[in-house]
Amino acid sequence: MDRYTVISADCHAGADLLDYKPYLEKKYHDDFDTWAAGYVNPYEDLLADTADRNWNSGRRLAELAADGIVAEVVFPNTIPPFFPSASLMAPVPSPVEYDQRWAGLRAHNRWLADFCADAPGRRAGVAQILLGDPAEAVREVRRTKEAGLTGGILLPGTPPGCGIPELYSQVYDPLWAVCEELDVPVNHHGGSASPPLGDEPAARAVFMVETTWFSHRALWHLIFGGAFRRHPGLKLVLTEQGSGWIPGVVEMLDYYHGRLVAAAGRAATAESKFGAGLAASMGASPGEVWRDNCFVGASFMRPHEVPLRDRIGLDKIMWGSDYPHDEGTAPYSREGLRIAYAGLPPDEIAAMVGGNAARVYGFDLAALDRIAATVGPTVEEMAEPLTEVPADATSPAFAPGGSVRVW
């Protein structure tokens, strides 16, 4: 092995706004024209001259290859039709608007299937769904799997007050069942579960502090809800939420699980009521569920998280560049990899930068190895510690200091 095969487990893409129209059912075309004519994009990066990195396939392949990356898991980025923003949890005040937004997500998924087909074997597209109608979500999972999207689904969050059942509810069992049946990973991306906080300076700061915690909630909701007992083949991927929090949180979940299960067998107490039926409904402990069913899209993994890799699970960690976001490592992904992984055994690096993602998302690693043979970071290069951070690097991967997050 002279070079590493790097698969970014966290990249983002989407169509330019008007380019979604051909992917909408025709009955929505007039509504789309009206909506698009008055729409004001709220995101500066989607108005800049670099916005086409989201949809320009040739530019994207070239920039990723120059960055040492041969394949990518593709999460959404641009605005789907009929949405006020990229958030899947925007309020839905009427059945008509809800129907339109489903149409918008289906249009994105169709576009994404074509975008992935433009680079065979190098893109695993993540399909979008809504949770308000689990039967419709199941139909879209089947359709997108058949259309060739191999990145699984993007699981929306259920923030407090959003009006739909929490993720621990068994109302979602048909969704977990079809994902298990078709081997479709369930991805939960950071930032997709926070409640609206407003736009004051304090609100923005609070969002930064809390957003990963709200995303982490999917882990304990699905565990305590028994989703993995009823669907033991289900795969959950937590992406761009950091990774240093995982050992402590899994240990905490194990503690509460053991405490409540033990209390349930005692005389009537407050805790015995909280723990009643938990062992039977959950099955395995949280630690066992993490070991058997869960993975982390450890975007631009930072140096302070790397010593925890054995406790997280070396077979769980999937590095990501977050291209094309400015908090991502591009165009300094080689340096981002070095600052995190220099000095580690090559087999461990190979697993975290590509091997694990190939296994979870079904990439043909042998085929990608042939591409990496000319563009991948060399083993010699990766062994050299990074001594100087690029002056114009904007990723938190290069931030000085850092400690394990309590979340």
Side-chain angles (χ1 to χ4, degrees):
M1 183 179 68
D2 298 322
R3 294 178 183 264
Y4 291 105
T5 299
V6 181
I7 301 170
S8 173
D10 181 26
C11 289
H12 297 264
D16 198 2
L17 189 69
L18 298 181
D19 290 341
Y20 275 125
K21 183 175 177 177
Y23 293 93
L24 278 167
E25 295 100 320
K26 288 186 178 179
K27 67 179 181 178
Y28 295 103
H29 282 191
D30 289 344
D31 289 342
F32 176 81
D33 290 341
T34 302
W35 172 77
Y39 186 76
V40 178
N41 197 311
Y43 299 112
E44 292 183 6
D45 63 314
L46 296 180
L47 300 172
D49 59 4
T50 55
D52 74 322
R53 290 184 295 183
N54 285 282
W55 57 80
N56 185 329
S57 184
R59 176 179 183 172
R60 190 180 185 96
L61 287 171
E63 291 189 359
L64 287 172
D67 219 19
I69 297 167
V70 298
E72 55 176 331
V73 180
V74 185
F75 287 87
N77 197 44
T78 60
I79 311 300
F82 307 117
F83 276 75
S85 68
S87 172
L88 294 185
M89 291 315 303
V92 181
S94 72
V96 171
E97 191 169 28
Y98 181 77
D99 179 65
Q100 288 178 336
R101 291 185 185 176
W102 249 123
L105 294 191
R106 287 192 294 267
H108 171 82
N109 294 341
R110 294 186 188 103
W111 174 88
L112 184 59
D114 281 353
F115 188 70
C116 291
D118 195 56
R122 299 183 66 177
R123 292 175 180 150
V126 179
Q128 295 192 74
I129 61 168
L130 291 173
L131 293 177
D133 182 351
E136 181 63 24
V138 168
R139 286 190 289 272
E140 190 63 6
V141 170
R142 291 192 180 279
R143 193 195 65 77
T144 54
K145 177 74 173 184
E146 185 176 343
L149 294 184
T150 58
I153 61 166
L154 177 59
L155 177 67
T158 56
C162 71
I164 62 175
E166 297 279 10
L167 289 177
Y168 53 69
S169 171
Q170 291 190 36
V171 72
Y172 302 121
D173 264 12
L175 178 59
W176 313 144
V178 73
C179 290
E180 179 185 35
E181 175 196 342
L182 301 179
D183 193 26
V184 168
V186 174
N187 305 278
H188 193 56
H189 195 280
S192 64
S194 300
L197 294 171
D199 196 41
E200 297 179 26
R204 295 194 295 270
V206 168
F207 172 84
M208 288 295 294
V209 172
E210 295 181 347
T211 185
T212 52
W213 181 86
F214 276 104
S215 298
H216 299 345
R217 292 172 78 228
L219 176 63
W220 52 82
H221 278 227
L222 267 66
I223 288 176
F224 287 127
F228 299 102
R229 179 188 66 79
R230 297 186 298 275
H231 310 285
L234 189 65
K235 291 190 293 193
L236 176 67
V237 183
L238 304 173
T239 297
E240 203 178 330
Q241 304 176 30
S243 59
W245 60 276
I246 291 168
V249 165
V250 172
E251 289 171 6
M252 177 193 70
L253 299 178
D254 271 340
Y255 164 74
Y256 279 111
H257 171 261
R259 173 175 159 182
L260 291 172
V261 168
R266 301 195 191 108
T269 63
E271 286 203 355
S272 70
K273 296 174 184 176
F274 277 92
L278 186 64
S281 65
M282 271 186 58
S285 69
E288 291 170 311
V289 170
W290 177 262
R291 180 196 67 200
D292 295 339
N293 301 88
C294 302
F295 303 88
V296 57
S299 305
F300 42 80
M301 197 172 185
R302 285 159 287 185
H304 68 270
E305 298 172 301
V306 176
L308 297 170
R309 64 192 183 280
D310 289 320
R311 292 176 61 197
I312 297 168
L314 267 168
D315 60 335
K316 305 292 181 185
I317 297 169
M318 301 180 292
W319 179 88
S321 71
D322 199 27
Y323 176 94
H325 292 161
D326 58 12
E327 66 266 27
T329 51
Y332 301 114
S333 291
R334 287 180 168 85
E335 289 82 357
L337 288 165
R338 285 172 58 198
I339 201 171
Y341 296 142
L344 297 186
D347 60 330
E348 294 188 7
I349 297 175
M352 292 187 286
V353 304
N356 293 336
R359 187 179 72 255
V360 172
Y361 293 105
F363 287 102
D364 183 340
L365 198 55
L368 295 178
D369 286 344
R370 292 191 287 272
I371 303 171
T374 59
V375 303
T378 67
V379 172
E380 182 180 17
E381 172 190 4
M382 285 285 292
E384 189 70 26
L386 187 71
T387 58
E388 185 175 351
V389 172
D392 56 343
T394 55
S395 173
F398 302 108
S403 60
V404 179
R405 292 191 62 151
V406 295
W407 299 140

